[in-house]
Amino acid sequence: MLKKTELSLEEMGRRAHIIPGQEPELKVSVRRIPVSELDVERGIVPVCEPMLMGNEAKYVLDCLQTNWISSAGKYIPLFEEKFSRCCHTSYGVACTSGTTALHLAMAALGVGPEDEVIVPTFTMIATANAVTYTGAKPVLVDSEMETWNMDPALVETRITPRTKAIMPIHTYGHPADMDALQDIAQRHGLYLVEDAAEAHGAEYKGRRAGSLSDVACFSFYANKIITTGEGGMLTTNNPEIAAITRNLRDHAFSTERHFWHKYVGFNYRMTNVQAAIGLAQTEHFDDFVALRRNHALLYNSLLRDVPGLRLPPEKPWAKNVFWMYGILVEDEFGISRDELRRKLAAKGIETRTFFIPIHLQPIYFSQHGEESYPVAEELCRRGMYLPSASSLKEEDIHFVVECVRECAAARWV
Ligand SMILES: Cc1ncc(COP(=O)(O)O)c(C=O)c1O
């Protein structure tokens, strides 16, 4: 049977305090509606939820009525074409998740047991796991405090003769410094892969996430800016990468004869039903991005003067799409990040802590636990995101901010 990797907090030593504890209990909130002066139960303000506002039901019904519910059907190529156009790329290859998109990218580039792939330690587990699936080793790099993204200045120090690729993520929707990474990749003959799972519509110097590397990988999980429930897509301008990933996602069936396989492929095929939802969502691509950005700008304007809160970054060369509205709770705020989360949860406001870095994960600790990544650890210790769904109402944002400000003010009374 599969064995769990156990890691107690004691074994983590001085880093133990970084790891967040139990999730706070979320209470249903009662809020006063200003016009009616009535207290009404408003439920919770979720950290995120999907927003289905267009042709989703119509296209899904079409799949059901025409019997095209599997991984063939018209919505798959239509979705691939529309989404890849939104990313300013020539090809899109839909698959079952962001994770399987990353695995397909690694497999298509020939990453294998002798190789290393450089990834940020401050990321969601799938970035590193996609490398591990191939037998290769994820090599970790710390982030910049200014953007929360992989620090290009540190990447070069981690290159070895085994390095095959560099795979940054665009953290919470802010693009990584892709020119600097591209320059390193070119000088060392490495592939550059974007883990763009969180960055639909983000821009780097006017160029869209998804078009900034050899191949990019998106997630369409239900909390993403564009969703298919579960799903993913690779985008690329490289016809060879498009063809290989398309083939690998479908068991690598050969074109010469059926049931003939020259690669070890996978079944990572997206269904027509998922693609139908994805197409309907992508018809509102710009609207979804604008909603996320507008919410973030409203949060920024209302939280800017709160002492001890560091608001999410946006470099002059970047368009951050604020997939999640992340903040850092510094000592000056007066209560800890976890205490703030507890107080918000008691008012029905759901939040999340930032990622726990890869080097502190039980499954990677034995290889990387002794390495030092101070920025990632600081982000893990202080970071949280506030409700960020596209469907948030302005009044929800005002309510969240009011509660955050109350917590800050409590320190001064
Ligand atoms: C940076 C990053 N990479 C990969 C993934 C994996 O995507 P999925 O959940 O669709 O497999 C996620 C999911 O949120 C993510 O945030």
Side-chain angles (χ1 to χ4, degrees), residues 96-100 102 123-127 169-170 195-198 218-221 223-224 230-232 323 355:
T96 50
S97 68
T99 308
T100 56
L102 292 166
T123 184
M124 192 256 182
I125 198 72
T127 319
I169 79 162
H170 304 309
D195 180 343
E198 308 177 348
F218 288 90
S219 164
F220 301 125
Y221 178 62
N223 64 10
K224 297 303 185 296
E230 295 281 358
W323 166 59
F355 308 124

Side-chain angles (χ1 to χ4, degrees), residues 297-363:
L297 298 180
L298 181 58
Y299 269 131
N300 278 349
S301 69
L302 298 171
L303 290 171
R304 186 162 284 134
D305 61 338
V306 178
L309 283 192
R310 194 192 281 221
L311 305 186
E314 185 167 47
K315 284 287 203 182
W317 42 258
K319 177 176 172 187
N320 187 349
V321 286
F322 303 98
W323 166 59
M324 288 291 161
Y325 187 83
I327 56 171
L328 300 182
V329 183
E330 299 181 323
D331 291 341
E332 205 192 343
F333 186 73
I335 58 172
S336 70
R337 183 268 318 265
D338 293 347
E339 188 58 26
L340 174 60
R341 291 190 70 221
R342 268 194 295 277
K343 286 180 185 290
L344 294 179
K347 299 205 169 205
I349 298 168
E350 194 180 28
T351 61
R352 285 275 183 285
T353 50
F354 275 13
F355 308 124
I356 300 177
I358 300 297
H359 66 286
L360 300 182
Q361 296 291 342
I363 47 176

Side-chain angles (χ1 to χ4, degrees), residues 74-85:
K74 68 180 181 190
Y75 289 106
I76 295 162
L78 285 173
F79 176 39
E80 289 177 334
E81 202 197 315
K82 189 151 192 84
F83 186 82
S84 57
R85 236 185 296 128

Side-chain angles (χ1 to χ4, degrees), residues 79-257:
F79 176 39
E80 289 177 334
E81 202 197 315
K82 189 151 192 84
F83 186 82
S84 57
R85 236 185 296 128
C86 288
C87 298
H88 302 169
T89 56
S90 312
Y91 307 98
V93 178
C95 58
T96 50
S97 68
T99 308
T100 56
L102 292 166
H103 190 191
L104 285 170
M106 294 293 99
L109 298 179
V111 173
E114 302 302 312
D115 300 322
E116 295 174 351
V117 177
I118 298 178
V119 300
T121 190
F122 186 67
T123 184
M124 192 256 182
I125 198 72
T127 319
N129 280 353
V131 177
T132 303
Y133 297 157
T134 67
K137 183 178 166 210
V139 169
L140 308 179
V141 165
D142 207 354
S143 292
E144 308 165 308
M145 191 40 106
E146 280 192 19
T147 64
W148 307 346
N149 281 320
M150 183 192 233
D151 186 345
L154 300 173
V155 169
E156 214 147 6
T157 65
R158 308 307 310 267
I159 294 175
T160 74
R162 295 183 159 201
T163 310
K164 189 106 178 202
I166 305 172
M167 183 155 65
I169 79 162
H170 304 309
T171 312
Y172 304 139
H174 189 294
D177 185 355
M178 294 304 288
D179 279 354
L181 293 169
Q182 188 65 260
D183 174 58
I184 298 168
Q186 263 164 12
R187 278 191 287 109
H188 292 270
L190 306 174
Y191 292 112
L192 186 59
V193 179
E194 285 159 86
D195 180 343
E198 308 177 348
H200 313 62
E203 289 178 15
Y204 175 77
K205 300 184 181 172
R207 290 178 289 140
R208 281 271 162 95
S211 70
L212 305 165
S213 60
D214 294 298
V215 56
C217 304
F218 288 90
S219 164
F220 301 125
Y221 178 62
N223 64 10
K224 297 303 185 296
I225 296 178
I226 299 289
T227 183
T228 58
E230 295 281 358
M233 197 180 298
L234 300 106
T235 56
T236 181
N237 284 316
N238 181 322
E240 202 187 348
I241 293 178
I244 296 180
T245 51
R246 202 174 286 287
N247 187 231
L248 285 177
R249 79 170 168 190
D250 185 20
H251 292 299
F253 278 108
S254 168
T255 47
E256 289 160 48
R257 57 180 73 85

